């Protein structure tokens, strides 16, 4: 049983506006003339469907940090629409299992992978990383992955120990973890706590020290805690400015409601990072 099934149910997480109007991906593809019968280039698609920061540079960083090759078996926890999984596989020819909690996002991710002709190298699995049955299904009861990547997913899971313990069980000895996540630099204001919970579906973020301690407790070594706060703050600020500047074009294709929802999300994230209490981190660590 998942130990947070109630808070992480498909419906609850939809208070975060990034996860509504899922049909926007297909609408955008159609508006760019990428019709359903035609194959898609995963690199072009990643400009539309990726939900993390800094685009494919963040995927290239994982490839470099973990030395992924064609023989690597990688688990992408919280794969979203599958963007990072497809880029990982395109860059290295590695095999990726893309695990996603939300059924509608999982379904679309699998469809996009088929349209990119990558179904032989990217497998999509629907489920919660904290669900024991999923853990067993992914690992067949044994440690089976050379690497785990996870982009902006752990922030949805209040108990970092629970997800790190699952990662430990799924990784081979000396396997690598690459995770991008949020952490707490200094105490959040009441407004920030509420915004984190509502707009980002995020609560109980650890400090840098608490995070590193938990990684050690969960059996990780060679831990790199790379502070991404400055770069991510610039990124989310520019993202918001760009979105507002291109309002008319977006509304024409997706409608006013879809625009307002995404604007609310982009504005909330930019405000949180600008506030100075929210930090962003890239974690690279190795299984003992
Ligand atoms: C911010 S999105 C990032 C998606 C993708 N990693 C990317 O970079 O495009 C976080 C994703 O994690 C998924 N997620 C959250 N909690 C999860 C869990 N417990 N198990 C599996 N996926 C989860 C969400 O449904 C969401 O699609």
């Amino acid at each position: 049983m998942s130990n947070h099934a109630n808070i992480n149910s498909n419906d609850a997480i939809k208070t975060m506006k990034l996860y509504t109007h899922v049909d926007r991906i297909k609408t955008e593809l159609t508006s760019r003339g990428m019709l359903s019968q035609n194959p898609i280039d995963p690199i072009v698609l990643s400009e539309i469907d990726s939900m993390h920061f800094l685009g494919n540079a963040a995927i290239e960083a994982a490839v470099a940090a973990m030395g992924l090759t064609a023989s690597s078996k990688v688990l992408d926890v919280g794969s979203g629409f599958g963007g990072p999984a497809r880029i990982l596989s395109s860059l290295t020819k590695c095999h990726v299992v893309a695990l996603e909690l939300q059924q509608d996002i999982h379904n679309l991710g699998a469809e996009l992978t088929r349209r990119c002709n990558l179904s032989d190298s990217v497998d999509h699995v629907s489920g919660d990383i904290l669900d024991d049955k999923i853990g067993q299904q992914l690992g067949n009861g044994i440690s089976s992955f050379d690497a785990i990547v996870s982009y902006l997913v752990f922030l949805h899971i209040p108990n970092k120990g629970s997800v790190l313990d699952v990662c430990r069980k799924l990784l081979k000895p000396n396997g690598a973890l690459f995770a991008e996540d949020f952490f707490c630099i200094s105490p959040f204001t009441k407004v920030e706590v509420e915004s984190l919970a509502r707009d980002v579906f995020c609560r109980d973020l650890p400090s840098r020290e608490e995070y590193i301690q938990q990684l050690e407790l969960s059996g990780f070594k060679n831990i790199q805690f790379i502070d991404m706060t400055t770069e991510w703050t610039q990124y989310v600020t520019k993202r918001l400015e760009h979105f507002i500047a291109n309002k008319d074009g977006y509304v024409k294709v997706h409608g006013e409601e879809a625009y307002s929802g995404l604007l609310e999300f982009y504005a909330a994230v930019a405000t949180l990072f600008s506030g100075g209490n929210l930090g962003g981190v890239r974690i690279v660590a190795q299984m003992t």
Side-chain angles (χ1 to χ4, degrees):
M1 254 305 272
S2 160
N3 66 3
H4 77 317
N6 291 334
I7 57 155
N8 234 357
S9 76
N10 205 357
D11 285 345
I13 204 167
K14 295 284 188 198
T15 62
M16 178 163 154
K17 294 293 197 306
L18 184 64
Y19 301 149
T20 60
H21 296 284
V22 163
D23 55 348
R24 70 181 182 273
I25 308 295
K26 278 187 172 174
T27 309
E28 185 65 36
L29 288 174
T30 308
S31 81
R32 295 188 190 197
M34 296 156 85
L35 304 172
S36 56
Q37 63 275 22
N38 298 337
I40 314 178
D41 176 348
I43 304 282
V44 174
L45 177 58
S46 68
E47 290 164 18
I48 301 169
D49 77 346
S50 288
M51 294 196 275
H52 59 275
F53 306 141
L54 304 180
N56 291 338
I59 317 299
E60 287 161 13
V63 171
M66 301 194 290
L68 298 180
T69 65
S71 64
S72 304
K73 193 176 167 201
V74 183
L75 173 65
D76 181 5
V77 177
S79 50
F81 299 110
R86 286 186 292 270
I87 298 300
L88 275 174
S89 164
S90 302
L91 291 175
T92 68
K93 310 281 176 244
C94 67
H95 187 271
V96 187
V97 176
L99 174 71
E100 170 54 43
L101 176 73
Q102 298 179 69
Q103 192 67 49
D104 53 353
I105 293 180
H106 157 81
N107 291 345
L108 181 51
E111 186 184 332
L112 293 169
T113 293
R114 281 193 294 277
R115 286 194 59 191
C116 290
N117 292 325
L118 284 170
S119 298
D120 286 347
S121 46
V122 179
D123 284 332
H124 287 265
V125 175
S126 164
D128 183 340
I129 186 67
L130 298 184
D131 186 331
D132 286 346
K133 285 196 212 109
I134 287 291
Q136 281 160 18
Q137 184 187 330
L138 290 173
N140 294 323
I142 52 162
S143 311
S144 55
F145 290 97
D146 300 295
I148 293 180
V149 299
S150 191
Y151 292 91
L152 304 183
V153 179
F154 294 177
L155 58 93
H156 291 312
I157 300 172
N159 179 354
K160 299 294 173 242
S162 62
V163 67
L164 291 173
D165 286 350
V166 177
C167 291
R168 178 190 59 209
K169 286 179 194 146
L170 291 171
L171 278 171
K172 290 179 185 170
N174 290 321
L177 171 72
F178 181 103
E180 295 197 342
D181 200 7
F182 291 178
F183 71 104
C184 176
I185 293 175
S186 44
F188 297 112
T189 65
K190 188 167 173 285
V191 170
E192 286 173 333
V193 169
E194 286 166 4
S195 174
L196 279 165
R198 181 189 57 244
D199 303 318
V200 194
F201 200 65
C202 170
R203 60 189 176 87
D204 292 340
L205 287 174
S207 66
R208 181 184 197 277
E209 293 69 30
E210 288 167 339
Y211 214 140
I212 292 171
Q213 192 181 31
Q214 186 56 63
L215 282 156
E216 287 167 350
L217 277 173
S218 295
F220 287 91
K221 63 180 179 184
N222 300 334
I223 298 164
Q224 296 174 55
F225 192 97
I226 304 161
D227 194 327
M228 301 296 290
T229 310
T230 306
E231 277 166 279
W232 287 6
T233 303
Q234 285 165 2
Y235 176 87
V236 297
T237 305
K238 282 205 182 112
R239 178 173 72 171
L240 175 62
E241 287 167 5
H242 184 261
F243 194 63
I244 292 170
N246 290 287
K247 176 181 178 179
D248 291 349
Y250 195 90
V251 169
K252 206 166 156 194
V253 174
H254 300 276
E256 190 74 50
E257 200 193 317
Y259 175 81
S260 308
L262 215 43
L263 176 68
E264 191 180 311
F265 172 73
Y266 287 160
V269 175
T271 302
L272 283 163
F273 271 107
S274 306
N277 295 324
L278 179 63
V281 60
R282 177 175 284 173
I283 290 163
V284 184
Q286 203 180 9
M287 201 56 254
T288 41

